[in-house]
Amino acid sequence: MRKRRMRAQQAVSAIVSAILLVGMLLTTGFAYFAFEVRAQRMQSAALDYRFQVDQQQALERFNVMGQVSGTDTVAAYVVNNGPIPIRIAYMIVLNTSKGGDIGYNNTMAKSIYVNPGKSSPSIISNAVHDPNTQYSIGVVTARGTVVYALFPTPRGGIPGVIQEGLTSLDTGSIVIDFFSIRYSQKTGATWGPWTAGWLLPKGKNTVWAINVTNIDMTRDLYVNRYSNLYLIEAGSTLGSVIVFYIIRVQPDFPASISSLAAYSDTDRVVIPRGTWAFLYFGVDGPGDNPNVGGNLVKFTDENKQYAMFLLISGNWDSNTGEPYGQNIPFEGVRTQP
Amino acid sequence: MRLGKRAVSPLIATMMLIGVVLAAGFAVWSFANSATGAALSARGTEVARNVNQLNEKFIIFNANFSASKVRLWFYNNGNLTTQITAIVVWNAASPGTKTSLALPASTQLAVGVVTTLTVPALDTYTFTAGQTYYFQAVGQFGNTYTYFQQA
Protein backbone atom coordinates (compact mmCIF):
# COMPACT_ATOMS: atom_id res chain seq x y z
CA MET A 1 0.00 0.00 0.00
CA ARG A 2 2.78 2.40 0.93
CA LYS A 3 4.81 1.45 -2.12
CA ARG A 4 1.83 2.12 -4.34
CA ARG A 5 1.37 5.58 -2.81
CA MET A 6 5.03 6.42 -3.29
CA ARG A 7 4.88 5.35 -6.92
CA ALA A 8 1.88 7.54 -7.39
CA GLN A 9 3.74 10.58 -5.97
CA GLN A 10 6.59 10.04 -8.43
CA ALA A 11 4.11 9.87 -11.28
CA VAL A 12 2.64 13.28 -10.35
CA SER A 13 6.04 15.01 -10.52
CA ALA A 14 6.76 13.58 -13.99
CA ILE A 15 3.45 14.79 -15.30
CA VAL A 16 4.04 18.27 -13.96
CA SER A 17 7.45 18.36 -15.57
CA ALA A 18 6.08 17.20 -18.87
CA ILE A 19 3.37 19.83 -18.78
CA LEU A 20 5.90 22.53 -18.07
CA LEU A 21 8.16 21.45 -20.89
CA VAL A 22 5.32 21.37 -23.37
CA GLY A 23 4.19 24.77 -22.22
CA MET A 24 7.65 26.22 -22.77
CA LEU A 25 7.89 24.76 -26.23
CA LEU A 26 4.50 26.09 -27.23
CA THR A 27 4.97 29.61 -25.99
CA THR A 28 8.47 30.23 -27.27
CA GLY A 29 8.48 28.03 -30.32
CA PHE A 30 5.09 29.16 -31.58
CA ALA A 31 5.97 32.81 -31.15
CA TYR A 32 9.14 32.33 -33.14
CA PHE A 33 7.35 30.34 -35.82
CA ALA A 34 4.65 32.96 -36.26
CA PHE A 35 7.22 35.74 -36.49
CA GLU A 36 9.32 33.86 -39.00
CA VAL A 37 6.33 33.22 -41.26
CA ARG A 38 5.45 36.91 -41.21
CA ALA A 39 9.06 37.91 -41.87
CA GLN A 40 9.25 35.61 -44.86
CA ARG A 41 6.08 37.11 -46.29
CA MET A 42 7.41 40.64 -45.88
CA GLN A 43 10.69 39.83 -47.53
CA SER A 44 8.99 37.97 -50.34
CA ALA A 45 6.65 40.90 -50.99
CA ALA A 46 9.54 43.37 -51.00
CA LEU A 47 11.52 41.15 -53.34
CA ASP A 48 8.55 40.80 -55.72
CA TYR A 49 8.00 44.54 -55.69
CA ARG A 50 11.63 45.30 -56.46
CA PHE A 51 11.76 42.72 -59.22
CA GLN A 52 8.59 44.08 -60.80
CA VAL A 53 9.79 47.69 -60.63
CA ASP A 54 13.17 46.85 -62.17
CA GLN A 55 11.56 44.78 -64.88
CA GLN A 56 9.06 47.48 -65.78
CA GLN A 57 11.71 50.15 -65.79
CA ALA A 58 13.72 48.11 -68.28
CA LEU A 59 10.69 48.05 -70.59
CA GLU A 60 10.27 51.84 -70.71
CA ARG A 61 11.14 53.36 -74.07
CA PHE A 62 10.29 56.90 -75.12
CA ASN A 63 11.54 59.87 -77.10
CA VAL A 64 11.52 63.48 -76.07
CA MET A 65 10.71 66.06 -78.73
CA GLY A 66 11.39 69.71 -77.94
CA GLN A 67 9.22 72.50 -79.25
CA VAL A 68 8.23 76.09 -78.63
CA SER A 69 4.92 76.63 -76.86
CA GLY A 70 2.26 79.11 -77.85
CA THR A 71 3.51 81.43 -75.10
CA ASP A 72 7.05 81.33 -76.53
CA THR A 73 8.50 79.10 -73.84
CA VAL A 74 10.46 75.91 -74.21
CA ALA A 75 8.17 72.91 -74.25
CA ALA A 76 8.35 69.25 -75.11
CA TYR A 77 6.21 66.21 -75.66
CA VAL A 78 6.97 62.56 -75.11
CA VAL A 79 6.36 59.72 -77.54
CA ASN A 80 6.02 56.33 -75.85
CA ASN A 81 7.73 53.73 -78.01
CA GLY A 82 7.68 51.02 -75.40
CA PRO A 83 5.19 48.29 -74.52
CA ILE A 84 4.02 49.71 -71.17
CA PRO A 85 2.43 52.97 -70.09
CA ILE A 86 4.71 55.56 -68.57
CA ARG A 87 4.02 58.35 -66.09
CA ILE A 88 6.01 61.53 -66.42
CA ALA A 89 7.32 62.76 -63.09
CA TYR A 90 9.59 65.65 -63.97
CA MET A 91 10.91 67.72 -66.84
CA ILE A 92 14.04 69.81 -66.73
CA VAL A 93 15.28 72.34 -69.26
CA LEU A 94 18.99 73.06 -69.37
CA ASN A 95 20.74 75.85 -71.15
CA THR A 96 23.55 73.93 -72.77
CA SER A 97 25.37 77.02 -73.95
CA LYS A 98 26.23 77.69 -70.32
CA GLY A 99 28.10 74.45 -70.12
CA GLY A 100 25.50 72.56 -68.15
CA ASP A 101 24.41 75.36 -65.84
CA ILE A 102 20.75 75.26 -65.06
CA GLY A 103 18.99 77.88 -67.08
CA TYR A 104 15.42 77.02 -66.40
CA ASN A 105 13.47 74.12 -65.07
CA ASN A 106 9.94 73.28 -64.27
CA THR A 107 8.13 70.72 -62.20
CA MET A 108 4.78 69.86 -63.64
CA ALA A 109 1.88 68.03 -62.08
CA LYS A 110 2.66 64.36 -61.73
CA SER A 111 -0.37 63.24 -63.65
CA ILE A 112 0.76 62.84 -67.23
CA TYR A 113 0.35 59.26 -68.40
CA VAL A 114 1.36 58.14 -71.87
CA ASN A 115 0.12 54.86 -73.22
CA PRO A 116 2.18 52.72 -75.60
CA GLY A 117 2.29 54.18 -79.10
CA LYS A 118 0.84 57.50 -77.95
CA SER A 119 2.18 60.97 -77.47
CA SER A 120 1.84 63.10 -74.39
CA PRO A 121 0.27 66.54 -74.45
CA SER A 122 2.74 69.38 -74.73
CA ILE A 123 4.62 69.88 -71.44
CA ILE A 124 5.30 73.56 -71.07
CA SER A 125 8.21 74.88 -69.03
CA ASN A 126 8.79 78.34 -67.63
CA ALA A 127 11.91 78.79 -69.74
CA VAL A 128 11.48 81.64 -72.20
CA HIS A 129 12.61 80.46 -75.59
CA ASP A 130 15.72 82.07 -77.04
CA PRO A 131 16.12 81.15 -80.73
CA ASN A 132 19.90 81.51 -80.42
CA THR A 133 20.15 78.97 -77.63
CA GLN A 134 20.33 75.23 -77.79
CA TYR A 135 18.51 73.53 -74.95
CA SER A 136 18.80 70.13 -73.39
CA ILE A 137 15.42 68.84 -72.27
CA GLY A 138 15.29 65.98 -69.80
CA VAL A 139 12.24 63.93 -68.87
CA VAL A 140 12.12 61.65 -65.81
CA THR A 141 9.43 59.00 -65.42
CA ALA A 142 7.94 57.78 -62.18
CA ARG A 143 9.94 54.55 -62.49
CA GLY A 144 13.17 56.50 -62.75
CA THR A 145 13.96 56.35 -66.48
CA VAL A 146 15.62 59.50 -67.80
CA VAL A 147 15.82 60.62 -71.44
CA TYR A 148 17.47 63.80 -72.66
CA ALA A 149 16.98 65.45 -76.03
CA LEU A 150 18.58 68.50 -77.59
CA PHE A 151 16.33 71.23 -78.91
CA PRO A 152 16.63 72.34 -81.57
CA THR A 153 18.36 69.36 -83.13
CA PRO A 154 21.98 70.42 -83.48
CA ARG A 155 23.63 70.81 -86.81
CA GLY A 156 25.43 67.61 -87.53
CA GLY A 157 23.19 65.86 -85.05
CA ILE A 158 21.97 63.31 -87.56
CA PRO A 159 24.25 60.28 -87.37
CA GLY A 160 26.72 60.40 -90.22
CA VAL A 161 26.08 56.77 -91.08
CA ILE A 162 22.39 57.39 -91.66
CA GLN A 163 23.00 60.54 -93.68
CA GLU A 164 25.60 58.84 -95.79
CA GLY A 165 23.39 55.86 -96.34
CA LEU A 166 20.42 57.94 -97.39
CA THR A 167 22.46 60.15 -99.66
CA SER A 168 24.00 57.17 -101.33
CA LEU A 169 20.52 55.77 -101.96
CA ASP A 170 19.51 59.10 -103.53
CA THR A 171 16.35 59.29 -101.47
CA GLY A 172 16.55 63.05 -101.00
CA SER A 173 17.10 65.55 -98.25
CA ILE A 174 13.79 65.10 -96.43
CA VAL A 175 13.36 62.10 -94.17
CA ILE A 176 10.05 61.01 -92.66
CA ASP A 177 9.60 59.88 -89.09
CA PHE A 178 7.35 57.03 -90.14
CA PHE A 179 5.71 56.45 -86.77
CA SER A 180 4.95 60.14 -86.28
CA ILE A 181 2.12 60.24 -88.82
CA ARG A 182 -1.20 61.18 -87.24
CA TYR A 183 -4.64 62.18 -88.44
CA SER A 184 -7.37 64.29 -86.92
CA GLN A 185 -10.99 64.20 -88.04
CA LYS A 186 -13.72 66.77 -87.58
CA THR A 187 -16.98 65.90 -85.88
CA GLY A 188 -19.40 68.81 -86.01
CA ALA A 189 -17.33 71.89 -85.26
CA THR A 190 -14.68 70.10 -83.22
CA TRP A 191 -11.48 68.47 -84.33
CA GLY A 192 -10.72 65.20 -82.63
CA PRO A 193 -7.39 64.30 -81.03
CA TRP A 194 -4.42 63.28 -83.13
CA THR A 195 -4.65 59.57 -83.77
CA ALA A 196 -2.01 57.14 -84.95
CA GLY A 197 -2.97 54.44 -87.35
CA TRP A 198 -3.61 53.49 -90.87
CA LEU A 199 -7.29 52.61 -90.69
CA LEU A 200 -9.63 55.57 -90.50
CA PRO A 201 -13.34 56.31 -90.95
CA LYS A 202 -14.76 57.67 -94.16
CA GLY A 203 -17.02 60.68 -94.46
CA LYS A 204 -15.16 63.07 -92.12
CA ASN A 205 -12.94 66.02 -92.93
CA THR A 206 -9.40 64.87 -92.26
CA VAL A 207 -6.13 66.65 -91.51
CA TRP A 208 -2.79 64.85 -91.48
CA ALA A 209 0.36 65.63 -89.48
CA ILE A 210 3.77 64.25 -90.45
CA ASN A 211 7.15 64.87 -88.83
CA VAL A 212 9.94 65.37 -91.36
CA THR A 213 13.63 66.13 -90.95
CA ASN A 214 15.90 68.07 -93.25
CA ILE A 215 19.07 66.00 -93.23
CA ASP A 216 20.90 68.46 -95.47
CA MET A 217 23.37 70.12 -93.11
CA THR A 218 24.14 73.02 -95.43
CA ARG A 219 20.77 74.45 -96.44
CA ASP A 220 17.34 75.37 -95.05
CA LEU A 221 14.31 74.16 -97.00
CA TYR A 222 11.39 76.54 -97.65
CA VAL A 223 8.34 74.30 -98.25
CA ASN A 224 5.62 75.91 -100.40
CA ARG A 225 1.87 75.41 -100.78
CA TYR A 226 2.20 72.91 -103.60
CA SER A 227 3.39 70.23 -101.22
CA ASN A 228 0.80 67.55 -100.68
CA LEU A 229 -0.12 64.04 -99.66
CA TYR A 230 -1.05 62.13 -102.79
CA LEU A 231 -3.16 59.03 -102.24
CA ILE A 232 -3.95 56.62 -105.02
CA GLU A 233 -6.37 53.77 -104.59
CA ALA A 234 -4.85 50.31 -104.84
CA GLY A 235 -6.29 47.92 -107.34
CA SER A 236 -5.74 46.13 -110.59
CA THR A 237 -6.68 49.27 -112.57
CA LEU A 238 -5.90 52.90 -111.89
CA GLY A 239 -8.13 53.83 -108.96
CA SER A 240 -9.30 57.12 -107.57
CA VAL A 241 -6.88 59.77 -106.36
CA ILE A 242 -7.27 61.86 -103.24
CA VAL A 243 -4.93 64.77 -102.57
CA PHE A 244 -4.41 66.67 -99.31
CA TYR A 245 -2.56 69.97 -99.79
CA ILE A 246 -0.47 71.63 -97.13
CA ILE A 247 -2.14 73.95 -94.57
CA ARG A 248 -1.27 75.74 -91.38
CA VAL A 249 -2.49 74.34 -88.06
CA GLN A 250 -2.64 75.96 -84.64
CA PRO A 251 -1.55 74.95 -82.12
CA ASP A 252 1.29 72.63 -83.03
CA PHE A 253 1.15 68.86 -82.53
CA PRO A 254 0.41 67.18 -80.12
CA ALA A 255 -2.29 69.66 -79.04
CA SER A 256 -5.69 69.25 -80.72
CA ILE A 257 -6.47 71.54 -83.63
CA SER A 258 -8.11 74.83 -82.72
CA SER A 259 -7.64 76.77 -85.94
CA LEU A 260 -6.57 76.31 -89.55
CA ALA A 261 -5.11 78.77 -92.03
CA ALA A 262 -4.43 78.77 -95.74
CA TYR A 263 -1.04 78.89 -97.37
CA SER A 264 -0.61 82.05 -99.41
CA ASP A 265 1.70 82.20 -102.38
CA THR A 266 4.47 83.64 -100.22
CA ASP A 267 3.91 81.41 -97.19
CA ARG A 268 6.52 78.83 -96.39
CA VAL A 269 7.26 76.24 -93.73
CA VAL A 270 10.96 76.54 -93.10
CA ILE A 271 12.76 73.34 -92.13
CA PRO A 272 16.21 74.45 -90.97
CA ARG A 273 19.22 72.34 -91.85
CA GLY A 274 19.51 69.27 -89.64
CA THR A 275 16.20 70.02 -87.92
CA TRP A 276 12.71 68.53 -87.91
CA ALA A 277 9.29 70.13 -88.37
CA PHE A 278 5.66 69.06 -88.59
CA LEU A 279 3.84 69.42 -91.89
CA TYR A 280 0.03 69.45 -91.99
CA PHE A 281 -2.19 68.56 -94.94
CA GLY A 282 -5.96 68.95 -95.37
CA VAL A 283 -7.27 71.00 -98.35
CA ASP A 284 -8.03 69.81 -101.87
CA GLY A 285 -6.17 72.57 -103.70
CA PRO A 286 -2.90 74.50 -103.20
CA GLY A 287 -3.56 77.57 -101.11
CA ASP A 288 -7.26 76.77 -100.53
CA ASN A 289 -8.85 78.21 -97.42
CA PRO A 290 -9.35 75.34 -94.95
CA ASN A 291 -11.98 77.32 -93.09
CA VAL A 292 -14.33 76.90 -96.02
CA GLY A 293 -15.84 73.50 -95.44
CA GLY A 294 -15.95 72.53 -99.05
CA ASN A 295 -12.19 72.78 -99.31
CA LEU A 296 -11.45 70.20 -96.66
CA VAL A 297 -10.85 66.65 -97.82
CA LYS A 298 -12.57 63.49 -96.70
CA PHE A 299 -12.58 59.89 -97.73
CA THR A 300 -15.90 59.14 -99.39
CA ASP A 301 -15.64 55.37 -99.74
CA GLU A 302 -15.14 52.65 -97.18
CA ASN A 303 -13.04 49.50 -97.41
CA LYS A 304 -10.65 51.14 -99.82
CA GLN A 305 -6.90 50.89 -99.64
CA TYR A 306 -4.63 53.73 -100.71
CA ALA A 307 -0.93 54.13 -101.30
CA MET A 308 0.22 57.44 -99.82
CA PHE A 309 2.99 59.58 -101.25
CA LEU A 310 4.45 62.70 -99.68
CA LEU A 311 5.25 65.21 -102.41
CA ILE A 312 7.53 67.99 -101.20
CA SER A 313 7.88 71.19 -103.19
CA GLY A 314 10.00 74.12 -102.13
CA ASN A 315 13.16 76.17 -102.45
CA TRP A 316 16.52 76.21 -100.75
CA ASP A 317 17.50 79.01 -98.37
CA SER A 318 14.78 81.46 -99.44
CA ASN A 319 11.38 81.70 -101.11
CA THR A 320 13.06 82.17 -104.46
CA GLY A 321 16.12 79.99 -103.96
CA GLU A 322 17.04 76.92 -105.92
CA PRO A 323 13.86 74.84 -106.46
CA TYR A 324 13.52 71.48 -104.79
CA GLY A 325 11.09 68.61 -105.18
CA GLN A 326 10.89 65.17 -103.60
CA ASN A 327 8.51 62.22 -103.67
CA ILE A 328 8.44 59.92 -100.67
CA PRO A 329 6.27 56.81 -101.04
CA PHE A 330 5.77 55.58 -97.53
CA GLU A 331 2.29 54.82 -96.29
CA GLY A 332 -0.56 52.44 -96.75
CA VAL A 333 -3.98 53.67 -95.64
CA ARG A 334 -7.32 51.91 -95.47
CA THR A 335 -10.79 53.35 -94.91
CA GLN A 336 -13.62 51.93 -92.86
CA PRO A 337 -17.32 52.77 -92.44
CA MET B 1 9.34 -0.07 16.20
CA ARG B 2 11.58 2.97 16.43
CA LEU B 3 9.93 6.06 17.70
CA GLY B 4 11.29 9.64 17.71
CA LYS B 5 12.33 9.89 14.10
CA ARG B 6 10.16 12.38 12.40
CA ALA B 7 9.86 13.12 8.72
CA VAL B 8 7.84 15.33 6.47
CA SER B 9 4.45 13.98 5.75
CA PRO B 10 3.90 12.63 2.25
CA LEU B 11 1.46 15.42 1.44
CA ILE B 12 3.85 18.15 2.36
CA ALA B 13 6.64 16.36 0.56
CA THR B 14 4.58 16.23 -2.57
CA MET B 15 3.73 19.88 -2.37
CA MET B 16 7.35 20.77 -1.82
CA LEU B 17 8.35 18.73 -4.83
CA ILE B 18 5.73 20.44 -6.97
CA GLY B 19 6.88 23.81 -5.76
CA VAL B 20 10.50 23.05 -6.59
CA VAL B 21 9.54 21.75 -10.01
CA LEU B 22 7.44 24.81 -10.71
CA ALA B 23 10.15 27.19 -9.61
CA ALA B 24 12.81 25.42 -11.62
CA GLY B 25 10.52 25.17 -14.58
CA PHE B 26 9.63 28.82 -14.45
CA ALA B 27 13.29 29.75 -14.30
CA VAL B 28 14.06 27.63 -17.34
CA TRP B 29 11.04 29.04 -19.17
CA SER B 30 12.13 32.59 -18.41
CA PHE B 31 15.60 31.90 -19.70
CA ALA B 32 14.27 30.30 -22.88
CA ASN B 33 11.80 33.11 -23.42
CA SER B 34 14.45 35.74 -22.94
CA ALA B 35 16.81 34.01 -25.35
CA THR B 36 14.04 33.66 -27.90
CA GLY B 37 13.11 37.29 -27.52
CA ALA B 38 16.67 38.36 -28.23
CA ALA B 39 16.80 36.10 -31.27
CA LEU B 40 13.48 37.49 -32.51
CA SER B 41 14.69 41.04 -32.06
CA ALA B 42 17.86 40.39 -34.03
CA ARG B 43 15.93 38.58 -36.71
CA GLY B 44 13.42 41.41 -36.91
CA THR B 45 16.17 43.96 -37.38
CA GLU B 46 17.67 41.88 -40.15
CA VAL B 47 14.32 41.46 -41.93
CA ALA B 48 13.55 45.17 -41.66
CA ARG B 49 16.94 46.02 -43.10
CA ASN B 50 16.41 43.64 -46.02
CA VAL B 51 12.93 44.97 -46.74
CA ASN B 52 14.08 48.59 -46.55
CA GLN B 53 17.00 47.87 -48.82
CA LEU B 54 14.66 46.38 -51.41
CA ASN B 55 12.26 49.32 -51.18
CA GLU B 56 14.97 51.96 -51.40
CA LYS B 57 15.63 53.29 -54.91
CA PHE B 58 16.85 56.63 -56.22
CA ILE B 59 18.61 58.14 -59.20
CA ILE B 60 20.71 61.20 -59.96
CA PHE B 61 19.85 62.82 -63.28
CA ASN B 62 21.64 66.15 -63.36
CA ALA B 63 24.59 68.00 -61.87
CA ASN B 64 25.19 71.72 -61.81
CA PHE B 65 28.84 72.64 -61.28
CA SER B 66 30.54 75.69 -59.93
CA ALA B 67 34.23 75.93 -59.11
CA SER B 68 33.94 74.68 -55.53
CA LYS B 69 30.56 73.03 -55.18
CA VAL B 70 28.08 70.95 -57.06
CA ARG B 71 24.31 70.69 -57.03
CA LEU B 72 22.89 67.23 -57.68
CA TRP B 73 19.35 66.42 -58.79
CA PHE B 74 17.95 63.32 -57.08
CA TYR B 75 14.69 61.52 -57.78
CA ASN B 76 13.33 58.93 -55.33
CA ASN B 77 11.68 56.21 -57.40
CA GLY B 78 11.55 53.77 -54.52
CA ASN B 79 8.88 52.84 -52.03
CA LEU B 80 10.08 54.65 -48.92
CA THR B 81 11.64 57.91 -47.83
CA THR B 82 15.37 57.63 -47.49
CA GLN B 83 18.44 59.71 -46.80
CA ILE B 84 21.75 60.01 -48.56
CA THR B 85 24.53 59.04 -46.19
CA ALA B 86 27.53 59.57 -48.43
CA ILE B 87 28.52 61.08 -51.77
CA VAL B 88 31.82 60.09 -53.31
CA VAL B 89 33.31 61.90 -56.32
CA TRP B 90 36.14 61.10 -58.66
CA ASN B 91 37.51 62.46 -61.89
CA ALA B 92 37.26 60.28 -64.98
CA ALA B 93 40.93 60.99 -65.61
CA SER B 94 41.90 59.57 -62.21
CA PRO B 95 39.30 57.01 -61.19
CA GLY B 96 41.37 55.64 -58.37
CA THR B 97 41.28 58.86 -56.40
CA LYS B 98 37.91 59.06 -54.72
CA THR B 99 36.89 61.85 -52.39
CA SER B 100 34.00 61.87 -49.98
CA LEU B 101 32.07 65.09 -50.17
CA ALA B 102 30.58 66.85 -47.16
CA LEU B 103 26.84 66.46 -47.06
CA PRO B 104 24.30 69.26 -46.62
CA ALA B 105 22.25 69.48 -43.44
CA SER B 106 19.27 67.67 -44.91
CA THR B 107 19.69 64.79 -47.34
CA GLN B 108 16.20 63.35 -47.11
CA LEU B 109 14.60 62.13 -50.34
CA ALA B 110 10.82 61.83 -50.27
CA VAL B 111 9.11 59.26 -52.49
CA GLY B 112 8.20 60.48 -55.98
CA VAL B 113 9.84 63.85 -55.44
CA VAL B 114 12.82 65.54 -57.07
CA THR B 115 15.26 66.82 -54.46
CA THR B 116 18.34 68.88 -55.13
CA LEU B 117 21.33 68.55 -52.82
CA THR B 118 23.98 71.23 -52.89
CA VAL B 119 27.27 69.95 -51.63
CA PRO B 120 28.90 72.72 -49.61
CA ALA B 121 32.10 74.43 -50.64
CA LEU B 122 35.13 72.19 -50.43
CA ASP B 123 38.62 72.98 -49.37
CA THR B 124 40.22 70.00 -51.01
CA TYR B 125 38.25 69.44 -54.19
CA THR B 126 37.58 71.69 -57.18
CA PHE B 127 35.77 71.06 -60.43
CA THR B 128 37.44 71.88 -63.74
CA ALA B 129 35.30 72.78 -66.73
CA GLY B 130 35.44 70.23 -69.51
CA GLN B 131 36.34 67.32 -67.27
CA THR B 132 33.99 64.45 -66.52
CA TYR B 133 33.16 63.69 -62.92
CA TYR B 134 31.52 60.63 -61.38
CA PHE B 135 29.28 60.90 -58.32
CA GLN B 136 28.35 57.85 -56.28
CA ALA B 137 25.59 58.39 -53.75
CA VAL B 138 24.94 55.91 -50.95
CA GLY B 139 21.48 55.59 -49.48
CA GLN B 140 20.50 55.01 -45.89
CA PHE B 141 19.82 51.32 -46.50
CA GLY B 142 22.88 50.57 -48.56
CA ASN B 143 21.77 51.17 -52.16
CA THR B 144 24.07 53.18 -54.38
CA TYR B 145 23.70 55.10 -57.63
CA THR B 146 26.51 56.37 -59.81
CA TYR B 147 26.11 59.32 -62.18
CA PHE B 148 28.61 61.04 -64.41
CA GLN B 149 28.54 64.38 -66.21
CA GLN B 150 30.95 66.75 -67.80
CA ALA B 151 31.54 69.93 -65.86
Side-chain angles (χ1 to χ4, degrees), chain A residues 36 43 57 101 143 148, chain B residues 43 50 57 61 64 77:
Chain A
E36 188 61 32
Q43 288 191 122
Q57 186 178 3
D101 260 354
R143 296 189 183 98
Y148 275 95
Chain B
R43 179 80 176 121
N50 288 345
K57 211 162 181 283
F61 63 92
N64 182 13
N77 56 331

Side-chain angles (χ1 to χ4, degrees), chain A residues 28, chain B residues 29-39:
Chain A
T28 58
Chain B
W29 178 85
S30 293
F31 171 78
N33 200 39
S34 169
T36 305

Side-chain angles (χ1 to χ4, degrees), chain B residues 102-121:
Chain B
L103 296 174
S106 173
T107 61
Q108 189 175 73
L109 307 181
V111 175
V113 172
V114 171
T115 308
T116 58
L117 300 184
T118 301
V119 178

Side-chain angles (χ1 to χ4, degrees), chain B:
Chain B
M1 197 163 147
R2 274 201 179 178
L3 294 173
K5 284 216 172 177
R6 301 172 69 104
V8 177
S9 75
L11 176 61
I12 294 175
T14 303
M15 290 182 66
M16 286 173 68
L17 273 171
I18 291 173
V20 167
V21 167
L22 283 174
F26 183 76
V28 171
W29 178 85
S30 293
F31 171 78
N33 200 39
S34 169
T36 305
L40 281 175
S41 177
R43 179 80 176 121
T45 303
E46 183 189 345
V47 168
R49 190 178 65 239
N50 288 345
V51 170
N52 286 336
Q53 190 177 31
L54 289 168
N55 285 326
E56 181 190 54
K57 211 162 181 283
F58 57 89
I59 63 169
I60 305 171
F61 63 92
N62 189 54
N64 182 13
F65 295 88
S66 65
S68 60
K69 57 184 175 181
V70 62
R71 188 177 177 203
L72 298 174
W73 266 250
F74 285 83
Y75 176 70
N76 184 344
N77 56 331
N79 209 21
L80 81 170
T81 297
T82 186
Q83 294 195 357
I84 300 300
T85 57
I87 299 176
V88 178
V89 63
W90 64 93
N91 192 320
S94 51
T97 306
K98 297 184 179 179
T99 305
S100 290
L101 301 178
L103 296 174
S106 173
T107 61
Q108 189 175 73
L109 307 181
V111 175
V113 172
V114 171
T115 308
T116 58
L117 300 184
T118 301
V119 178
L122 302 167
D123 295 328
T124 58
Y125 205 90
T126 55
F127 296 104
T128 306
Q131 300 213 355
T132 299
Y133 293 91
Y134 286 76
F135 299 92
Q136 185 180 62
V138 183
Q140 181 182 359
F141 301 107
N143 288 284
T144 63
Y145 189 85
T146 303
Y147 175 77
F148 67 91
Q149 184 173 314
Q150 190 178 59

Side-chain angles (χ1 to χ4, degrees), chain A residues 215-276:
Chain A
I215 63 171
D216 191 321
M217 297 303 168
T218 63
R219 302 180 289 184
D220 303 331
L221 182 63
Y222 286 58
V223 178
N224 63 35
R225 60 179 181 164
Y226 295 98
S227 303
N228 64 84
L229 286 181
Y230 188 91
L231 284 79
I232 184 166
E233 183 187 341
S236 57
T237 58
L238 186 64
S240 61
V241 170
I242 301 178
V243 185
F244 296 78
Y245 279 90
I246 195 167
I247 56 172
R248 290 198 178 276
V249 166
Q250 286 293 333
D252 260 330
F253 180 91
S256 294
I257 298 173
S258 64
S259 67
L260 303 173
Y263 250 73
S264 72
D265 195 35
T266 55
D267 265 341
R268 300 289 186 271
V269 170
V270 181
I271 311 177
R273 62 203 75 180
T275 309
W276 58 269

Side-chain angles (χ1 to χ4, degrees), chain A:
Chain A
M1 187 82 161
R2 195 177 172 189
K3 271 190 185 173
R4 203 182 301 159
R5 199 167 55 219
M6 285 180 69
R7 239 183 265 126
Q9 287 171 349
Q10 288 168 4
V12 168
S13 296
I15 290 172
V16 169
S17 300
I19 291 172
L20 282 172
L21 277 170
V22 169
M24 270 191 282
L25 276 171
L26 284 176
T27 52
T28 58
F30 181 76
Y32 190 85
F33 172 76
F35 175 83
E36 188 61 32
V37 167
R38 187 160 177 264
Q40 289 294 331
R41 280 189 193 149
M42 287 174 61
Q43 288 191 122
S44 180
L47 199 58
D48 287 345
Y49 164 79
R50 183 58 178 255
F51 178 73
Q52 183 185 30
V53 165
D54 289 345
Q55 196 178 39
Q56 287 182 342
Q57 186 178 3
L59 290 173
E60 288 192 334
R61 296 278 187 276
F62 60 96
N63 290 338
V64 177
M65 309 291 280
Q67 59 184 183
V68 181
S69 74
T71 53
D72 204 28
T73 59
V74 178
Y77 67 93
V78 169
V79 181
N80 187 352
N81 299 321
I84 58 172
I86 61 174
R87 179 164 72 86
I88 299 170
Y90 195 82
M91 182 179 84
I92 190 169
V93 178
L94 307 178
N95 185 331
T96 59
S97 66
K98 291 184 181 177
D101 260 354
I102 302 301
Y104 316 94
N105 67 76
N106 181 53
T107 307
M108 86 298 279
K110 290 177 281 186
S111 59
I112 300 178
Y113 288 83
V114 189
N115 286 325
K118 302 293 184 187
S119 304
S120 74
S122 187
I123 308 165
I124 300 172
S125 79
N126 58 1
V128 177
H129 178 243
D130 176 4
N132 297 315
T133 298
Q134 184 165 73
Y135 297 92
S136 178
I137 302 175
V139 170
V140 183
T141 67
R143 296 189 183 98
T145 306
V146 184
V147 172
Y148 275 95
L150 293 175
F151 173 71
T153 307
R155 296 176 183 186
I158 302 225
V161 172
I162 295 177
Q163 181 180 0
E164 181 182 337
L166 286 171
T167 302
S168 67
L169 290 173
D170 294 327
T171 54
S173 301
I174 298 299
V175 176
I176 288 178
D177 180 356
F178 182 84
F179 290 100
S180 74
I181 186 168
R182 299 284 191 272
Y183 67 86
S184 175
Q185 292 188 314
K186 196 173 186 181
T187 304
T190 307
W191 287 94
W194 292 107
T195 305
W198 298 269
L199 180 66
L200 64 166
K202 69 163 188 180
K204 292 186 178 182
N205 292 325
T206 303
V207 170
W208 296 91
I210 302 172
N211 184 293
V212 298
T213 301
N214 176 11
I215 63 171
D216 191 321
M217 297 303 168
T218 63
R219 302 180 289 184
D220 303 331
L221 182 63
Y222 286 58
V223 178
N224 63 35
R225 60 179 181 164
Y226 295 98
S227 303
N228 64 84
L229 286 181
Y230 188 91
L231 284 79
I232 184 166
E233 183 187 341
S236 57
T237 58
L238 186 64
S240 61
V241 170
I242 301 178
V243 185
F244 296 78
Y245 279 90
I246 195 167
I247 56 172
R248 290 198 178 276
V249 166
Q250 286 293 333
D252 260 330
F253 180 91
S256 294
I257 298 173
S258 64
S259 67
L260 303 173
Y263 250 73
S264 72
D265 195 35
T266 55
D267 265 341
R268 300 289 186 271
V269 170
V270 181
I271 311 177
R273 62 203 75 180
T275 309
W276 58 269
F278 267 98
L279 303 179
Y280 304 92
F281 304 88
V283 286
D284 62 4
D288 282 359
N289 187 348
N291 298 304
V292 173
N295 290 338
L296 292 171
V297 184
K298 64 179 79 170
F299 292 96
T300 54
D301 298 314
E302 63 198 51
N303 298 322
K304 296 289 184 184
Q305 187 174 27
Y306 297 88
M308 184 186 276
F309 300 79
L310 173 59
L311 297 172
I312 300 282
S313 177
N315 302 81
W316 291 112
D317 286 332
S318 73
N319 285 14
T320 56
E322 181 186 346
Y324 180 77
Q326 185 177 345
N327 172 32
I328 306 175
F330 71 100
E331 265 278 359
V333 174
R334 205 155 61 83
T335 58
Q336 62 180 358

